[in-house]
């Protein structure tokens, strides 16, 4: 019997799974329910029995309220539906159905019982209660299965979903990598967890945030995705940007699943931009896969399997002048033809064609098993496999041009395992135990390397500087094997352990406590120039005459770059304790403390020359370094429809491990370097083709000549452990763990028309930022123009250190959400960001981190606007359900954005930059600001676009089955008009003073693209 019941916000708040913002837990895979039961007069109702049933699996949990009428259930599956039964010996029993749980968000179930009557059970459906976005403490976003199905996710990537939040910027101008930048922070400072396993780019080589080439798990395997920007629970760790957390689907008592296929090609892409015809390379790609959940033993053991395969092409869109390529480089075709002729005839080397497309693929498999051991214990196991690749340009700016052999394969194989045990020991105490293991094998093989072995390349890199006579600008043409992939290999594994407990005290305080340990083991070979890099500044004539302006060679003295590998490991340990309690009926507080500390037995090889020069060792590590992180959060109900929330907490993490690995690789003990200038090869007096030049280190079956071998003087210098070595990388002996203090304040209001309105303020202050400086330079004066004068007084070095300057950033955001009865669901928002840092730290290499930024003095510490800041961002996501065909729903999903551009700086040319400092230090970029200039003081162009997805349901082959056809439009705006939806940006955030056209059109992000496909569900 259904009987209406008077309910208030205090009485019962049920958060439906509707894609509204809600809180989540880092490294969490479950949800929880907590609350209190009171009698008709508001007095506690002890010993009331609460029974929770997960309908899809039949799992049941039963608990009795304590003396204060309170209860808590944890370790629950996300999603639903659930059914709650409240069984009282004195008052009416109540049953609430259609409840859905959000990942990590405690559902607050506070209920007032009614006097006993002739009604056996009062039944309530959650849909009667409406949706609530209450109960959180910090800014966050949550997206459920329905949101993921309707969104125009052309990449089948969680980035297609989380970009709906205006505080989460996905850089779509970076090709397929789509790096995620939260509230103006670098993508390197984020963390990603899937079923409790960290799946972020732990080492720090990529830009997409994953340890793999693409998302390492199938899109159809996901159940919920959340983004936490400033959570205040102590179990959060490993980020200062944001935490992205996902859980996968599980099996149920019914067999369910689906299959999909989609397709794209150059014929489903635009062919003009702003009136210019675009000649896209010919390509086609397809994706297909399936997922299925099933019972192995009804109500007890369940399985879920998801598989996905991608077969496509790496597309290269650059060409010479007049080629009609999407991105034309200022290089004449006749100059390119001449370089290819000289390479073939004189150097006896075929550099390959102009690249257009190369086949690539990706394969994913996820297997999950869930076992309801009994009502008190549940065990879950997840296995994840991913192997994929693509082919990339190393030097792909619009003033650079690579022939095909200079490209390289980027590939990664990943395997992960996670085992989780959830246990309820009694009505007060429950635990989670999680063990995880992740293994990553990363490969970066040049196309010049046919064997795939480390150091197995035949021909080194050559750069030919060609002047465009019409513009006077140089374009660098690259042939041979990319210098950074001549010896490059990375393998690492991460082992994790989480021991976590929850205890509900009788006085209403809920304690969370635990210990965590994460162990990282790394094997990393990164030796540049093992086959030489040669630069011909004199252009085509110098290339033909064999007169380079620079030659670089590096290797281990043995000649085997594997002997220069960085082999090291460390562990991060954590202890934490948190208390959550209701201060009164309206105010909930959490107060916690977390302590992280590092341990390691690994240290870089000590360099005796460094010790003599600096007076301390270059073998410093993080061993024993720790950070105490206090946190406090609150949630306060002003009334039944308005909530205040906020908190204050210290966070740390996200600093790429490659920055530490550099200290193990670049110590001038394991590898050495030699320069051609020291042996008369770069002053024009000696040609590479002279008869007295002897080449060593030549592979079998190739000519003993330049590119194939190393000039003997340079080869022997490295073999003897001497030469003009690279700068040593070391860790500051006084290095402290970087951290960020976050303060958040927000409000949520539900109107009488059920609009959900939200506003948030986030202020963060970075402390002890990780930066790279030259360790050997001392300022000895100042020029008349106001620039520093430096002297190098010690062994050349780069130091990973802390900034003495703190940076303050803030974000103001607004959001609105509404579900209409006519089938329209709406979520819109706006975010204003002002994020600062001292150094953007854009690279995995210390030299590049030091170089590629704008400054007045290279060793300065000035807090400026971040390279990653997007000042204004508006987003709107809409889905609309209707019936174009009677009985078969049609869903239209649309996502639109309007956002300001990336900031940039006007700087001196590279030559003038070096002239300012007299080449001390040597600066390999146009990175010096005019005196009085400001880093990132210029604004980039705004960008706006709309993406669409149209899904039409179709009949299945049998009852209970359904099919659908869909079409996804990326940049539908550009489809309507080729002047619309065009993205422009400045590369590397620096532009030479006087450049009146600083931005380049980003063809890949600007052109409209369509994918078509079908789904079948059962």
């Amino acid at each position: 019997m259904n009987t209406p019941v008077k309910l208030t916000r205090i009485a019962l708040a049920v958060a439906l799974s509707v894609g509204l913002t809600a809180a989540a837990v880092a490294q969490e895979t479950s949800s929880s329910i907590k609350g209190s039961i009171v009698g008709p007069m508001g007095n506690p109702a002890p010993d009331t029995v609460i029974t929770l049933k997960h309908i899809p699996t039949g799992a049941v949990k039963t608990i009795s309220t304590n003396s204060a009428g309170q209860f808590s259930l944890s370790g629950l599956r996300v999603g639903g539906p659930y059914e709650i039964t409240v069984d009282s010996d004195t008052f009416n029993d109540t049953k609430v159905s259609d409840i859905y749980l959000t990942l990590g968000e405690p559902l607050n179930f506070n209920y007032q019982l009614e006097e006993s009557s002739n009604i056996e059970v009062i039944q309530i459906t959650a849909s009667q209660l409406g949706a609530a976005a209450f109960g959180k403490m910090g800014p966050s976003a949550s997206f459920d299965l329905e949101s993921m199905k309707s969104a125009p996710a052309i990449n089948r990537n969680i980035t297609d979903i989380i970009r709906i939040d205006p505080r989460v910027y996905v850089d779509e101008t970076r090709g397929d990598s789509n790096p995620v930048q939260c509230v103006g922070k670098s993508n390197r400072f984020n963390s990603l967890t899937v079923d409790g396993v960290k799946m972020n780019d732990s080492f720090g080589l990529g830009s997409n945030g994953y340890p793999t080439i693409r998302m390492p798990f199938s899109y159809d395997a996901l159940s919920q995705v959340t983004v936490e920007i400033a959570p205040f629970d102590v179990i959060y760790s490993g980020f200062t940007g944001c935490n992205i957390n996902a859980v996968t689907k599980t099996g149920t008592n019914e067999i369910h699943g689906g299959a999909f296929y989609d397709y794209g090609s150059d014929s489903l892409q635009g062919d003009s931009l702003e009136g210019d015809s675009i000649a896209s390379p010919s390509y086609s790609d397809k994706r297909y896969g399936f997922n299925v959940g099933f019972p192995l033993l009804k109500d007890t053991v369940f399985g879920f399997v998801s598989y996905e395969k991608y077969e496509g092409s790496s597309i290269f869109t650059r060409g010479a002048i007049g080629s009609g390529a999407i991105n034309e480089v200022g290089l004449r075709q006749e100059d390119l033809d001449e370089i290819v002729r000289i390479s073939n005839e004189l150097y006896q080397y075929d550099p390959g064609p102009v690249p257009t497309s190369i086949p690539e693929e990706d394969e994913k498999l996820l297997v999950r098993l869930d076992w309801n051991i009994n009502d008190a214990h549940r065990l879950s196991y997840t296995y994840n496999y991913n192997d994929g690749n693509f082919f990339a340009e190393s030097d792909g700016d619009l003033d650079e041009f690579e022939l095909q052999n200079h490209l390289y394969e980027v590939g990664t194989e990943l395997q992960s395992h996670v085992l989780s045990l959830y246990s309820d020991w009694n009505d007060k105490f429950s635990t989670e135990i999680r063990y995880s293991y992740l293994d990553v094998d990363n490969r970066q093989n040049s196309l010049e390397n046919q064997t795939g072995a480390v150091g197995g390349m035949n021909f080194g890199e050559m750069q030919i500087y060609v002047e465009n006579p019409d513009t006077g600008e140089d374009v660098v043409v690259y042939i041979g094997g990319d210098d950074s992939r001549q010896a490059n290999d990375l393998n690492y594994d991460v082992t994790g352990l989480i021991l976590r407990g929850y205890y509900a005290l009788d006085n209403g305080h809920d304690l969370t406590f635990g210990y965590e340990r994460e162990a990282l083991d790394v094997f990393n070979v990164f030796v540049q120039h093992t086959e030489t890099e040669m630069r011909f500044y004199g252009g085509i004539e110098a290339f033909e005459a064999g007169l380079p302006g620079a030659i670089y060679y590096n290797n281990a003295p043995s000649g085997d770059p594997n002997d220069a590998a960085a082999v090291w490991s460390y562990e991060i340990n954590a202890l934490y304790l948190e208390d959550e309690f209701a201060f009164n009926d309206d105010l909930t507080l959490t107060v916690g403390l977390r302590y992280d500390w590092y341990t390691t037995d690994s240290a870089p090889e000590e360099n005796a020359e460094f010790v003599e020069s600096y007076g301390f060792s270059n073998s410093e590590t993080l061993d024993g370094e720790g950070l105490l992180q206090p946190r406090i959060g609150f949630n306060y109900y002003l009334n039944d429809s308005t909530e205040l929330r906020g908190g204050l907490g210290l966070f740390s993490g996200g600093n790429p491990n490659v920055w530490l690995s550099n200290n193990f690789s670049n110590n001038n003990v394991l590898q050495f370097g030699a320069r051609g200038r020291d042996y008369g090869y770069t002053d024009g007096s000696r040609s590479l083709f002279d008869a007295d030049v002897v080449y060593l280190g030549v592979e079998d079956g190739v000519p003993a000549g330049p590119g194939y071998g190393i000039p003997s003087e340079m080869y022997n210098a490295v073999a003897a452990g001497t030469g003009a070595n690279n700068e040593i990388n070391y860790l500051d002996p006084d290095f402290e763990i970087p951290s960020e203090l976050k303060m958040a304040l927000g409000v949520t209001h539900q109107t009488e028309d059920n609009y959900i309105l939200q506003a948030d303020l986030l202020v963060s202050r970075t402390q002890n930022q990780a930066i790279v400086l030259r360790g050997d330079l001392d300022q000895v004066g100042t020029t008349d123009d106001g620039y520093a004068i430096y002297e190098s007084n010690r062994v050349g070095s780069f130091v990973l250190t802390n900034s003495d300057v703190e940076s303050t950033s803030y974000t103001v955001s607004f959001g609105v959400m509404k579900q209409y009865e006519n089938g329209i669901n709406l979520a819109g928002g706006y975010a204003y960001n002002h994020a600062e840092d001292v150094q953007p730290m854009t690279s995995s290499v210390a030299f590049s981190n030091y170089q590629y930024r704008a400054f007045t003095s290279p060793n300065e510490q000035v807090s400026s606007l971040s390279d990653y800041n997007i000042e204004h961002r508006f987003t709107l996501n809409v889905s609309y359900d209707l019936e174009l065909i009677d009985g078969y729903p049609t869903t239209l999903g649309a996502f639109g954005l309007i956002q300001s551009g990336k900031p940039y700086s006007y700087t001196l040319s590279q030559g003038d930059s070096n002239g300012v400092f007299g080449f001390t230090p040597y600066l390999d970029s146009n990175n010096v600001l005019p005196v009085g200039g400001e880093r990132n003081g210029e604004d980039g162009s705004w960008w706006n676009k709309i993406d669409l997805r149209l899904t039409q349901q179709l009949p299945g082959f049998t009852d209970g089955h359904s099919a659908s056809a869909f079409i996804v439009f990326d940049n539908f705006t550009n489809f309507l008009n080729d002047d619309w939806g065009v993205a422009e940006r400045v590369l590397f955030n620096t532009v030479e003073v006087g450049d009146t056209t600083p931005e380049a059109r980003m063809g890949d992000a600007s052109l409209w693209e369509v994918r078509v496909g079908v789904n079948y569900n059962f």
Side-chain angles (χ1 to χ4, degrees), residues 223-346:
S223 174
Q224 285 190 24
V225 177
T226 63
V227 180
E228 282 288 354
I229 297 171
F232 299 107
D233 297 74
V234 292
I235 59 177
Y236 287 86
S237 67
F239 70 95
T240 51
C242 65
N243 180 79
I244 303 167
N245 194 22
V247 291
T248 58
K249 297 173 182 175
T250 66
T252 67
N253 278 325
E254 303 292 334
I255 297 176
H256 64 87
F260 86 96
Y261 173 90
D262 72 0
Y263 173 82
S265 76
D266 59 292
S267 62
L268 296 174
Q269 186 182 51
D271 57 7
S272 67
L273 285 173
E274 300 175 305
D276 299 330
S277 295
I278 301 299
S280 299
S282 177
Y283 77 93
S284 65
D285 62 41
K286 58 185 178 182
R287 297 181 296 211
Y288 53 91
F290 70 89
N291 69 93
V292 57
F294 49 90
L296 293 169
L297 185 61
K298 187 178 167 105
D299 290 341
T300 305
V301 183
F302 311 91
F304 176 80
V305 177
S306 177
Y307 173 83
E308 185 171 323
K309 182 73 179 288
Y310 164 75
E311 298 174 3
S313 301
S314 297
I315 305 300
F316 303 95
T317 59
R318 293 185 300 150
I321 297 171
S323 63
I326 293 177
N327 297 303
E328 287 191 357
V329 176
L331 174 70
R332 299 184 306 175
Q333 185 65 48
E334 58 263 36
D335 290 334
L336 179 60
D337 293 341
E338 183 66 0
I339 289 171
V340 173
R341 181 193 66 79
I342 294 170
S343 180
N344 278 282
E345 293 180 3
L346 293 184

Side-chain angles (χ1 to χ4, degrees), residues 34-38 44-48 50 63-72 109-110 427-428 504-510 581-582:
K34 58 182 62 179
S36 63
I37 308 299
V38 297
D47 300 320
T48 302
I50 309 295
I63 191 172
S64 296
T65 58
N66 61 19
S67 58
Q70 298 168 335
F71 73 96
S72 178
F109 187 93
N110 304 310
D427 288 351
K428 298 181 179 180
L505 298 174
D506 288 339
N507 60 5
H509 289 255
D510 291 333
F581 59 97

Side-chain angles (χ1 to χ4, degrees), residues 455-760:
M457 189 180 296
N458 287 333
F459 196 87
E461 178 180 275
M462 292 187 176
Q463 304 177 14
I464 302 95
Y465 286 65
V466 182
E467 181 180 318
N468 183 330
D470 296 328
T471 64
E473 297 178 353
D474 276 348
V475 170
V476 184
V477 178
Y478 293 81
I479 67 171
D482 171 50
D483 64 316
S484 293
R485 278 82 199 174
Q486 294 178 8
N488 196 336
D489 187 34
L490 170 65
N491 303 286
Y492 68 87
D493 60 69
V494 183
T495 304
L497 176 65
I498 296 176
L499 306 175
R500 187 177 298 155
Y502 305 92
Y503 194 86
L505 298 174
D506 288 339
N507 60 5
H509 289 255
D510 291 333
L511 302 181
T512 301
F513 48 90
Y515 167 77
E516 298 180 8
R517 180 179 176 87
E518 181 181 287
L520 174 73
D521 286 280
V522 175
F523 176 86
N524 179 37
V525 178
F526 180 64
V527 186
Q528 295 175 301
H529 314 135
T530 58
E531 298 290 341
T532 70
E533 174 193 309
M534 299 185 180
R535 301 182 182 181
F536 294 91
Y537 299 122
I540 296 175
E541 294 79 9
F543 178 51
E544 186 169 26
L547 298 174
I551 305 178
Y552 301 86
Y553 169 62
N554 287 72
N555 214 329
S558 65
D560 182 356
N562 285 295
D563 292 336
V567 183
W568 59 284
S569 63
Y570 73 74
E571 302 80 37
I572 302 178
N573 308 273
L575 286 170
Y576 48 81
L577 174 64
E578 179 177 274
D579 181 13
E580 179 178 353
F581 59 97
F583 186 80
N584 55 38
D585 286 345
D586 295 312
L587 177 63
T588 300
L589 296 173
T590 63
V591 180
L593 196 61
R594 180 186 180 99
Y595 181 68
D596 293 353
W597 75 98
Y598 287 76
T599 55
T600 181
D601 295 325
S602 302
E605 294 281 345
E606 187 172 87
N607 184 301
E609 185 181 8
F610 179 93
V611 174
E612 182 180 357
S613 180
Y614 285 79
F616 56 84
S617 177
N618 62 295
S619 60
E620 294 290 335
T621 70
L622 291 177
D623 188 44
E625 287 294 325
L627 182 68
L628 194 63
Q629 300 162 68
R631 297 173 191 175
I632 182 170
F634 75 90
N635 181 280
Y636 179 70
Y637 285 96
L638 290 174
N639 51 52
D640 287 354
S641 59
T642 307
E643 164 200 87
L644 289 177
R645 60 181 177 276
L648 181 70
L650 195 65
F651 296 81
S652 181
N655 299 288
N657 287 302
V658 66
W659 296 345
L660 292 175
S661 191
N662 291 330
N663 303 324
F664 290 82
S665 300
N666 301 320
N667 47 43
N668 289 345
V669 176
L670 299 178
Q671 62 170 289
F672 296 86
R675 302 294 177 262
R677 66 191 179 205
D678 296 326
Y679 305 99
Y681 285 105
T682 61
D683 59 6
S685 64
R686 194 175 187 188
S687 169
L688 297 173
F689 300 114
D690 286 349
D692 66 337
V693 180
V694 177
Y695 291 95
L696 300 178
V698 181
E699 283 77 14
D700 294 337
V702 299
Y708 291 108
I710 297 96
S712 58
E713 301 94 331
M714 299 174 66
Y715 185 90
N716 291 330
V718 169
T722 61
N725 294 328
N726 288 327
E727 291 85 359
I728 293 174
N729 292 183
Y730 73 96
L731 181 69
D732 187 339
D734 298 321
F735 188 84
E736 297 183 35
I737 305 302
S739 63
E740 183 163 306
L741 184 66
K742 291 176 180 278
M743 186 277 289
L745 182 65
V747 59
T748 297
H749 176 71
Q750 184 170 3
T751 70
E752 293 183 358
D753 295 328
N754 290 321
Y755 284 89
I756 304 295
L757 307 177
Q758 294 183 325
D760 285 281

Side-chain angles (χ1 to χ4, degrees), residues 834-849:
H834 180 89
E836 293 190 4
D837 55 35
V838 174
Q839 287 187 6
M841 299 292 283
T842 59
S843 178
S844 59
V845 179
F847 174 77
S848 298
N849 278 325

